[in-house]
Amino acid sequence: MTLNLSDLKFNHSGLIPCIAQSVDTGEVLMMAWMNSVSLKTTLQTGRVTYWSRSRNALWEKGQTSGNTQQLVEMRIDCDQDCLLAIVKQKGPACHTGQRNCFFASINSDGRIQDRSE
């Protein structure tokens, strides 16, 4: 199967979800949004760049914090509506300082429990 970037299914806002996964551990680190420009920038530079919905601007991961993501491989899912960035993570991935953004769980009773280390 051969696809082009034009085959990706961006949402009505021109965005596509991108999950970042550690190449070293396989751990899911975070989810953020990309648009066509951030995706092309990531592919060209190897520095993972997302689209910040709150800032309405491109956001290179770690540009201010130093917690960078170097792209190893970019994958797409079977429906072409989600990306998987396999990355070399430097420092914590989460802006809270946690190793990844998925440090809380929801119990069967609906309570959220912090599972940070």
Short mmCIF file of all heavy atoms in Angstrom, two decimals, residues 5-46:
data_model
loop_
_atom_site.label_atom_id
_atom_site.label_comp_id
_atom_site.label_asym_id
_atom_site.label_seq_id
_atom_site.Cartn_x
_atom_site.Cartn_y
_atom_site.Cartn_z
N LEU A 5 0.77 12.11 1.83
CA LEU A 5 0.27 12.94 2.92
C LEU A 5 -1.14 13.44 2.64
O LEU A 5 -1.93 13.63 3.55
CB LEU A 5 1.20 14.13 3.16
CG LEU A 5 2.57 13.81 3.75
CD1 LEU A 5 3.37 15.08 3.96
CD2 LEU A 5 2.45 13.03 5.03
N SER A 6 -1.47 13.61 1.37
CA SER A 6 -2.82 14.07 1.00
C SER A 6 -3.89 13.04 1.32
O SER A 6 -5.08 13.36 1.35
CB SER A 6 -2.88 14.46 -0.47
OG SER A 6 -2.57 13.34 -1.27
N ASP A 7 -3.50 11.79 1.57
CA ASP A 7 -4.44 10.73 1.91
C ASP A 7 -4.83 10.75 3.39
O ASP A 7 -5.78 10.08 3.80
CB ASP A 7 -3.88 9.35 1.56
CG ASP A 7 -3.68 9.18 0.06
OD1 ASP A 7 -4.59 9.57 -0.69
OD2 ASP A 7 -2.63 8.66 -0.33
N LEU A 8 -4.10 11.50 4.22
CA LEU A 8 -4.41 11.56 5.64
C LEU A 8 -5.74 12.26 5.85
O LEU A 8 -6.10 13.17 5.11
CB LEU A 8 -3.30 12.29 6.40
CG LEU A 8 -1.95 11.60 6.43
CD1 LEU A 8 -0.93 12.46 7.15
CD2 LEU A 8 -2.06 10.24 7.09
N LYS A 9 -6.46 11.83 6.87
CA LYS A 9 -7.78 12.38 7.16
C LYS A 9 -7.70 13.33 8.35
O LYS A 9 -7.80 12.93 9.50
CB LYS A 9 -8.77 11.25 7.42
CG LYS A 9 -8.95 10.35 6.21
CD LYS A 9 -9.83 9.17 6.52
CE LYS A 9 -9.89 8.24 5.32
NZ LYS A 9 -10.48 6.95 5.65
N PHE A 10 -7.50 14.60 8.04
CA PHE A 10 -7.48 15.64 9.05
C PHE A 10 -8.93 15.97 9.42
O PHE A 10 -9.83 15.82 8.59
CB PHE A 10 -6.78 16.89 8.51
CG PHE A 10 -5.31 16.68 8.27
CD1 PHE A 10 -4.84 16.18 7.07
CD2 PHE A 10 -4.38 16.98 9.26
CE1 PHE A 10 -3.49 15.99 6.84
CE2 PHE A 10 -3.02 16.81 9.04
CZ PHE A 10 -2.58 16.30 7.83
N ASN A 11 -9.16 16.41 10.66
CA ASN A 11 -10.53 16.75 11.07
C ASN A 11 -10.97 18.08 10.46
O ASN A 11 -10.22 18.70 9.69
CB ASN A 11 -10.67 16.72 12.60
CG ASN A 11 -9.92 17.85 13.30
OD1 ASN A 11 -9.51 18.84 12.69
ND2 ASN A 11 -9.74 17.71 14.60
N HIS A 12 -12.16 18.53 10.81
CA HIS A 12 -12.72 19.75 10.24
C HIS A 12 -11.89 20.99 10.56
O HIS A 12 -12.01 22.01 9.88
CB HIS A 12 -14.16 19.94 10.71
CG HIS A 12 -14.29 20.17 12.18
ND1 HIS A 12 -14.23 19.15 13.10
CD2 HIS A 12 -14.42 21.31 12.90
CE1 HIS A 12 -14.34 19.64 14.32
NE2 HIS A 12 -14.45 20.95 14.23
N SER A 13 -11.04 20.91 11.58
CA SER A 13 -10.15 22.02 11.93
C SER A 13 -8.78 21.88 11.27
O SER A 13 -7.87 22.68 11.55
CB SER A 13 -9.97 22.09 13.45
OG SER A 13 -11.20 22.32 14.09
N GLY A 14 -8.61 20.86 10.44
CA GLY A 14 -7.34 20.64 9.77
C GLY A 14 -6.30 19.98 10.64
O GLY A 14 -5.10 20.09 10.39
N LEU A 15 -6.77 19.27 11.69
CA LEU A 15 -5.86 18.64 12.64
C LEU A 15 -6.00 17.13 12.63
O LEU A 15 -7.04 16.59 12.25
CB LEU A 15 -6.15 19.16 14.06
CG LEU A 15 -6.03 20.67 14.25
CD1 LEU A 15 -6.48 21.06 15.64
CD2 LEU A 15 -4.61 21.15 13.97
N ILE A 16 -4.94 16.47 13.06
CA ILE A 16 -4.93 15.01 13.19
C ILE A 16 -4.23 14.68 14.51
O ILE A 16 -3.22 15.31 14.85
CB ILE A 16 -4.22 14.35 11.97
CG1 ILE A 16 -4.41 12.85 11.95
CG2 ILE A 16 -2.76 14.73 11.88
CD1 ILE A 16 -4.02 12.19 10.62
N PRO A 17 -4.79 13.74 15.30
CA PRO A 17 -4.12 13.39 16.56
C PRO A 17 -2.81 12.64 16.30
O PRO A 17 -2.70 11.85 15.36
CB PRO A 17 -5.13 12.49 17.28
CG PRO A 17 -6.05 11.99 16.22
CD PRO A 17 -6.03 12.99 15.11
N CYS A 18 -1.84 12.91 17.15
CA CYS A 18 -0.54 12.25 17.05
C CYS A 18 -0.16 11.73 18.44
O CYS A 18 -0.06 12.51 19.39
CB CYS A 18 0.52 13.22 16.54
SG CYS A 18 2.15 12.45 16.40
N ILE A 19 0.05 10.45 18.53
CA ILE A 19 0.48 9.81 19.77
C ILE A 19 1.99 9.66 19.71
O ILE A 19 2.52 9.18 18.71
CB ILE A 19 -0.21 8.44 19.94
CG1 ILE A 19 -1.72 8.62 20.01
CG2 ILE A 19 0.34 7.70 21.16
CD1 ILE A 19 -2.51 7.35 19.81
N ALA A 20 2.67 10.07 20.77
CA ALA A 20 4.12 9.91 20.85
C ALA A 20 4.43 8.70 21.71
O ALA A 20 3.90 8.55 22.81
CB ALA A 20 4.76 11.16 21.43
N GLN A 21 5.30 7.84 21.20
CA GLN A 21 5.70 6.61 21.88
C GLN A 21 7.22 6.55 21.95
O GLN A 21 7.91 6.87 20.97
CB GLN A 21 5.16 5.40 21.12
CG GLN A 21 5.50 4.07 21.74
CD GLN A 21 4.96 2.90 20.92
OE1 GLN A 21 4.85 2.98 19.70
NE2 GLN A 21 4.66 1.83 21.59
N SER A 22 7.74 6.13 23.10
CA SER A 22 9.18 6.04 23.29
C SER A 22 9.77 4.88 22.48
O SER A 22 9.30 3.74 22.59
CB SER A 22 9.51 5.83 24.77
OG SER A 22 10.87 5.49 24.93
N VAL A 23 10.79 5.15 21.71
CA VAL A 23 11.48 4.10 20.97
C VAL A 23 12.23 3.17 21.93
O VAL A 23 12.42 1.99 21.64
CB VAL A 23 12.44 4.68 19.90
CG1 VAL A 23 13.63 5.39 20.55
CG2 VAL A 23 12.91 3.61 18.93
N ASP A 24 12.65 3.71 23.08
CA ASP A 24 13.44 2.93 24.03
C ASP A 24 12.60 1.95 24.85
O ASP A 24 13.04 0.83 25.11
CB ASP A 24 14.19 3.86 24.98
CG ASP A 24 15.21 4.71 24.26
OD1 ASP A 24 15.84 4.22 23.30
OD2 ASP A 24 15.37 5.88 24.65
N THR A 25 11.41 2.37 25.26
CA THR A 25 10.61 1.55 26.19
C THR A 25 9.27 1.08 25.63
O THR A 25 8.64 0.21 26.20
CB THR A 25 10.31 2.34 27.47
OG1 THR A 25 9.47 3.46 27.13
CG2 THR A 25 11.58 2.83 28.14
N GLY A 26 8.81 1.69 24.54
CA GLY A 26 7.49 1.38 24.01
C GLY A 26 6.37 2.10 24.75
O GLY A 26 5.20 1.98 24.42
N GLU A 27 6.74 2.89 25.75
CA GLU A 27 5.76 3.61 26.58
C GLU A 27 5.06 4.69 25.76
O GLU A 27 5.69 5.42 24.99
CB GLU A 27 6.52 4.24 27.75
CG GLU A 27 5.70 5.09 28.66
CD GLU A 27 6.56 5.68 29.77
OE1 GLU A 27 7.79 5.83 29.60
OE2 GLU A 27 5.98 5.99 30.82
N VAL A 28 3.74 4.79 25.94
CA VAL A 28 2.99 5.89 25.34
C VAL A 28 3.28 7.14 26.18
O VAL A 28 3.06 7.14 27.39
CB VAL A 28 1.48 5.59 25.30
CG1 VAL A 28 0.70 6.80 24.83
CG2 VAL A 28 1.20 4.39 24.41
N LEU A 29 3.78 8.18 25.54
CA LEU A 29 4.22 9.37 26.25
C LEU A 29 3.15 10.46 26.32
O LEU A 29 2.94 11.06 27.36
CB LEU A 29 5.47 9.94 25.59
CG LEU A 29 6.68 8.99 25.55
CD1 LEU A 29 7.79 9.58 24.70
CD2 LEU A 29 7.16 8.69 26.97
N MET A 30 2.50 10.72 25.20
CA MET A 30 1.56 11.83 25.15
C MET A 30 0.75 11.77 23.86
O MET A 30 1.05 10.99 22.97
CB MET A 30 2.30 13.18 25.21
CG MET A 30 3.31 13.36 24.09
SD MET A 30 4.20 14.93 24.13
CE MET A 30 2.96 16.01 23.42
N MET A 31 -0.25 12.62 23.79
CA MET A 31 -1.02 12.84 22.57
C MET A 31 -1.11 14.33 22.36
O MET A 31 -1.33 15.10 23.30
CB MET A 31 -2.43 12.26 22.69
CG MET A 31 -3.23 12.32 21.38
SD MET A 31 -3.71 13.94 20.84
CE MET A 31 -5.40 14.00 21.28
N ALA A 32 -0.89 14.75 21.14
CA ALA A 32 -1.03 16.16 20.78
C ALA A 32 -1.53 16.21 19.34
O ALA A 32 -1.64 15.18 18.67
CB ALA A 32 0.29 16.90 20.94
N TRP A 33 -1.83 17.40 18.89
CA TRP A 33 -2.38 17.57 17.54
C TRP A 33 -1.31 18.03 16.57
O TRP A 33 -0.39 18.76 16.94
CB TRP A 33 -3.50 18.61 17.58
CG TRP A 33 -4.67 18.15 18.39
CD1 TRP A 33 -4.90 18.44 19.71
CD2 TRP A 33 -5.72 17.31 17.96
NE1 TRP A 33 -6.07 17.84 20.12
CE2 TRP A 33 -6.60 17.13 19.06
CE3 TRP A 33 -6.04 16.68 16.77
CZ2 TRP A 33 -7.75 16.36 19.01
CZ3 TRP A 33 -7.20 15.92 16.70
CH2 TRP A 33 -8.02 15.76 17.80
N MET A 34 -1.48 17.62 15.32
CA MET A 34 -0.64 18.12 14.24
C MET A 34 -1.55 18.64 13.14
O MET A 34 -2.68 18.17 12.98
CB MET A 34 0.24 17.00 13.66
CG MET A 34 1.40 16.61 14.52
SD MET A 34 2.52 15.50 13.62
CE MET A 34 3.93 15.56 14.70
N ASN A 35 -1.03 19.61 12.41
CA ASN A 35 -1.67 20.01 11.16
C ASN A 35 -0.69 19.67 10.04
O ASN A 35 0.37 19.09 10.31
CB ASN A 35 -2.07 21.49 11.18
CG ASN A 35 -0.90 22.45 11.29
OD1 ASN A 35 0.26 22.07 11.15
ND2 ASN A 35 -1.19 23.71 11.57
N SER A 36 -1.02 19.99 8.82
CA SER A 36 -0.15 19.58 7.71
C SER A 36 1.23 20.25 7.80
O SER A 36 2.24 19.63 7.48
CB SER A 36 -0.81 19.88 6.36
OG SER A 36 -1.05 21.26 6.22
N VAL A 37 1.28 21.48 8.28
CA VAL A 37 2.56 22.18 8.39
C VAL A 37 3.43 21.56 9.48
O VAL A 37 4.63 21.34 9.28
CB VAL A 37 2.34 23.69 8.65
CG1 VAL A 37 3.66 24.41 8.89
CG2 VAL A 37 1.60 24.33 7.48
N SER A 38 2.84 21.27 10.65
CA SER A 38 3.64 20.68 11.73
C SER A 38 4.12 19.28 11.34
O SER A 38 5.24 18.90 11.68
CB SER A 38 2.86 20.66 13.05
OG SER A 38 1.72 19.85 12.97
N LEU A 39 3.30 18.54 10.62
CA LEU A 39 3.71 17.21 10.17
C LEU A 39 4.87 17.31 9.19
O LEU A 39 5.88 16.61 9.33
CB LEU A 39 2.52 16.47 9.54
CG LEU A 39 2.83 15.11 8.92
CD1 LEU A 39 3.46 14.16 9.94
CD2 LEU A 39 1.57 14.50 8.32
N LYS A 40 4.75 18.19 8.22
CA LYS A 40 5.84 18.36 7.24
C LYS A 40 7.12 18.86 7.92
O LYS A 40 8.21 18.40 7.60
CB LYS A 40 5.41 19.32 6.14
CG LYS A 40 4.38 18.72 5.20
CD LYS A 40 3.88 19.73 4.19
CE LYS A 40 2.75 19.14 3.37
NZ LYS A 40 2.11 20.13 2.49
N THR A 41 6.97 19.77 8.87
CA THR A 41 8.13 20.28 9.61
C THR A 41 8.81 19.16 10.37
O THR A 41 10.04 19.03 10.36
CB THR A 41 7.70 21.41 10.57
OG1 THR A 41 7.11 22.46 9.81
CG2 THR A 41 8.88 21.93 11.38
N THR A 42 8.01 18.32 11.04
CA THR A 42 8.55 17.18 11.78
C THR A 42 9.31 16.24 10.86
O THR A 42 10.43 15.81 11.17
CB THR A 42 7.40 16.42 12.49
OG1 THR A 42 6.78 17.29 13.43
CG2 THR A 42 7.91 15.18 13.19
N LEU A 43 8.71 15.92 9.72
CA LEU A 43 9.35 15.00 8.77
C LEU A 43 10.63 15.59 8.19
O LEU A 43 11.61 14.87 7.98
CB LEU A 43 8.37 14.64 7.66
CG LEU A 43 7.13 13.84 8.10
CD1 LEU A 43 6.14 13.71 6.94
CD2 LEU A 43 7.51 12.49 8.67
N GLN A 44 10.66 16.89 7.96
CA GLN A 44 11.83 17.53 7.37
C GLN A 44 12.97 17.73 8.36
O GLN A 44 14.13 17.57 8.01
CB GLN A 44 11.44 18.88 6.76
CG GLN A 44 10.59 18.75 5.53
CD GLN A 44 10.01 20.09 5.06
OE1 GLN A 44 10.12 21.11 5.73
NE2 GLN A 44 9.37 20.07 3.90
N THR A 45 12.63 18.07 9.61
CA THR A 45 13.67 18.41 10.59
C THR A 45 14.03 17.26 11.52
O THR A 45 15.11 17.27 12.11
CB THR A 45 13.23 19.60 11.47
OG1 THR A 45 12.11 19.19 12.27
CG2 THR A 45 12.87 20.80 10.62
N GLY A 46 13.10 16.33 11.72
CA GLY A 46 13.31 15.26 12.68
C GLY A 46 13.01 15.68 14.11
O GLY A 46 13.08 14.88 15.03
#
